[in-house]
């Protein structure tokens, strides 16, 4: 494909994107600024290995700048970018206990709020494992022009207008949906653009990969224990049992399973009665992507996107991926 056939993220949204229910310009600007922050974070993540040049978090680097932990750095960059977009009036971030509301008039006039995990899996950075940013976009419910309120953020996942993730891996990709399917864009660092590389992603109805932290096996619900044994049995179709793949980075595990087929499970455990993953900025956005790609996302019993949130950082058990695989583990849980 010649370079002139490349479709950039901005082109895609403003031309190819099927009719976004609201003014395309608003979404274009929001996703453009998310893409911008992603490029800035990507640069920093890629250099994370050069700690002696950058300096350890909490120290100052060779330029005498305070070295921030990468997830704090990412949080600041995405907040700055979303504020600059002029479309976002508030943010719920994994890195901040309370909602972040913007006081300036332009941002207060924004129609959208964003829930974000700026850098999920950041403990994997110093061992060079892929990490990700996860975001979820809603229309505000509070009056335009006023400060964003908590009710703007406690909306069920089915009301998301857009959701996506950035995976900082062997290449950096932005994957998103606005309810018209899922599209993936790979960052071409030579031109600094996210270019369409995975149009209309559909996840296989079933796969052979199951992703779960089997170290918690003793604390799993019986249905999950039975499902793991089922995956390990020599099953009818072939004598090769399923494959266990678990990176310990949600975006990386989910993205691989999305493309190849598979299931990601983080159930309740003894330590985390409600599971470990957060509803607002991890499970809902990933669930939206999973469903739009033909997959499924539940808490083992109920569709994740039907859950009415009670608090910003609430956790929920999470089962997501290929539809038939989620159906099967749910049968074991019944
Ligand atoms: P565990 C990373 O901390 C994270 O939030 C997800 O990215 C990842 O899937 C999960 O937690 C890993 O948790 O308990 O298996 O180490």
């Amino acid at each position: 494909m010649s370079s002139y056939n490349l479709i950039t993220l901005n082109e895609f949204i403003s031309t190819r994107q099927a009719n976004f229910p609201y003014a395309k310009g608003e979404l274009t600007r929001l996703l453009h600024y998310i893409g911008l922050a992603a490029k800035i974070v990507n640069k920093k993540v890629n250099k994370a290995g050069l700690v002696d040049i950058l300096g350890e978090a909490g120290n100052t680097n060779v330029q005498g700048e305070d070295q921030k932990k990468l997830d704090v750095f990412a949080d600041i960059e995405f907040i700055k970018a979303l504020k600059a977009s002029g479309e976002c009036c508030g943010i719920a971030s994994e890195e901040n206990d309370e909602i972040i509301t913007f006081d300036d008039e332009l941002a207060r006039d924004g129609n959208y709020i964003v829930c974000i995990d700026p850098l999920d899996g950041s403990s994997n950075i110093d061992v060079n494992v892929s990490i990700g940013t996860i975001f979820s976009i809603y229309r505000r419910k509070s009056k335009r022009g006023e400060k964003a309120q908590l009710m703007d953020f406690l909306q069920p996942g089915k009301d998301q207008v857009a959701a996506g993730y950035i995976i900082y891996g062997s290449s950096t990709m932005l994957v998103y949906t606005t309810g018209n399917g899922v599209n993936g864009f790979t960052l071409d660092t030579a031109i600094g653009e996210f270019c369409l590389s995975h149009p209309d992603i559909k996840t296989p109805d079933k796969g052979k990969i199951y992703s779960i932290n089997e170290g918690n096996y003793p604390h799993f619900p019986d249905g999950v224990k039975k499902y793991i044994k089922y995956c390990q049995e020599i099953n009818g179709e072939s004598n090769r049992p399923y494959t266990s793949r678990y990176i310990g980075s949600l975006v990386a595990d989910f993205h691989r399973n999305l493309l190849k087929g598979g299931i990601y499970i983080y159930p309740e455990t003894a330590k985390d009665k409600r599971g470990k993953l957060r509803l607002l900025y991890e499970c809902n956005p990933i669930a939206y992507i999973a469903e739009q790609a033909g997959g499924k996302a539940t808490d083992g019993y109920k569709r994740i996107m039907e859950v009415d949130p009670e608090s910003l950082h609430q956790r929920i058990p999470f089962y997501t991926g290929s539809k038939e695989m989620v159906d099967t583990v749910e049968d074991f849980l019944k």
Side-chain angles (χ1 to χ4, degrees):
M1 189 192 304
S2 90
S3 62
Y4 295 104
N5 293 347
L6 284 182
I7 297 170
T8 65
L9 176 63
N10 287 3
E11 282 169 334
F12 183 84
I13 304 162
S14 48
T15 54
R16 297 269 303 279
Q17 173 73 32
N19 56 337
F20 176 62
Y22 306 101
K24 275 203 199 79
E26 296 173 343
L27 177 72
T28 306
R29 259 190 304 284
L30 257 183
L31 285 173
H32 167 75
Y33 278 90
I34 287 174
L36 190 61
K39 292 177 206 172
I40 294 168
V41 169
N42 178 61
K43 228 165 59 118
K44 201 89 169 179
V45 164
N46 286 348
K47 287 196 301 190
L50 304 173
V51 164
D52 48 345
I53 297 177
L54 293 176
E56 281 288 345
N59 304 329
T60 57
N61 61 14
V62 290
Q63 288 85 7
E65 294 156 351
D66 282 345
Q67 195 54 30
K68 300 180 186 69
K69 273 168 54 71
L70 269 177
D71 37 15
V72 172
F73 172 82
D75 189 44
I76 292 166
E77 288 306 317
F78 279 100
I79 291 168
K80 268 175 16 188
L82 288 167
K83 181 172 182 179
S85 76
E87 302 298 347
C88 173
C89 64
I91 297 170
S93 165
E94 199 259 356
E95 294 291 329
N96 302 74
D97 293 344
E98 306 304 326
I99 59 171
I100 298 149
T101 58
F102 299 133
D103 293 330
D104 66 291
E105 201 172 325
L106 173 71
R108 261 214 323 253
D109 216 29
N111 267 322
Y112 300 90
I113 61 98
V114 177
C115 302
I116 188 165
D117 187 350
L119 208 55
D120 177 73
S122 49
S123 57
N124 291 304
I125 291 173
D126 37 19
V127 292
N128 220 3
V129 162
S130 302
I131 50 180
T133 297
I134 314 170
F135 63 89
S136 175
I137 303 175
Y138 293 84
R139 295 280 286 190
R140 70 183 303 172
K141 296 176 82 76
S142 57
K143 196 162 166 293
R144 193 172 179 179
E146 292 175 358
K147 280 176 74 167
Q149 295 166 33
L150 186 58
M151 68 169 173
D152 292 318
F153 298 86
L154 300 182
Q155 301 185 50
K158 63 183 171 40
D159 292 344
Q160 291 174 94
V161 294
Y165 57 81
I166 295 108
I167 177 169
Y168 309 94
S170 47
S171 65
T172 295
M173 274 190 75
L174 186 149
V175 176
Y176 87 95
T177 182
T178 57
N180 298 290
V182 178
N183 291 282
F185 299 77
T186 300
L187 180 62
D188 179 342
T189 48
I191 57 173
E193 292 282 4
F194 279 102
C195 300
L196 183 64
S197 54
H198 296 67
D200 197 20
I201 297 174
K202 290 293 174 213
T203 195
D205 279 345
K206 68 183 292 192
K208 295 178 75 72
I209 298 171
Y210 67 99
S211 305
I212 186 168
N213 181 343
E214 296 190 48
N216 296 323
Y217 185 89
H219 309 297
F220 286 157
D222 280 348
V224 172
K225 291 180 179 176
K226 288 185 185 126
Y227 180 69
I228 291 173
K229 288 304 159 213
Y230 163 82
C231 290
Q232 292 168 346
E233 276 160 15
I234 303 293
N235 53 38
E237 303 95 87
S238 77
N239 62 4
R240 172 162 163 60
Y242 287 61
T243 299
S244 172
R245 287 279 184 278
Y246 191 70
I247 301 175
S249 181
L250 170 62
V251 174
D253 278 315
F254 176 77
H255 183 72
R256 177 205 52 238
N257 293 358
L258 179 75
L259 299 183
K260 295 190 161 201
I263 185 169
Y264 173 96
I265 302 174
Y266 207 106
E268 56 275 24
T269 65
K271 196 158 61 76
D272 303 307
K273 270 294 159 223
R274 299 288 304 270
K276 174 182 184 183
L277 300 183
R278 313 286 189 169
L279 175 61
L280 259 59
Y281 40 76
E282 289 175 335
C283 300
N284 270 331
I286 292 291
Y288 198 13
I289 296 273
E291 290 195 3
Q292 283 290 312
K296 193 171 178 183
T298 72
D299 64 359
Y301 304 91
K302 181 177 179 185
R303 186 179 175 228
I304 284 287
M305 299 210 296
E306 296 287 348
V307 175
D308 286 320
E310 291 149 15
S311 64
L312 281 186
H313 302 284
Q314 81 180 66
R315 302 172 192 267
I316 190 166
F318 197 39
Y319 300 70
T320 187
S322 296
K323 189 180 172 316
E324 288 180 27
M325 299 177 84
V326 178
D327 289 344
T328 304
V329 68
E330 287 182 339
D331 290 342
F332 281 110
L333 285 166
K334 277 178 191 135

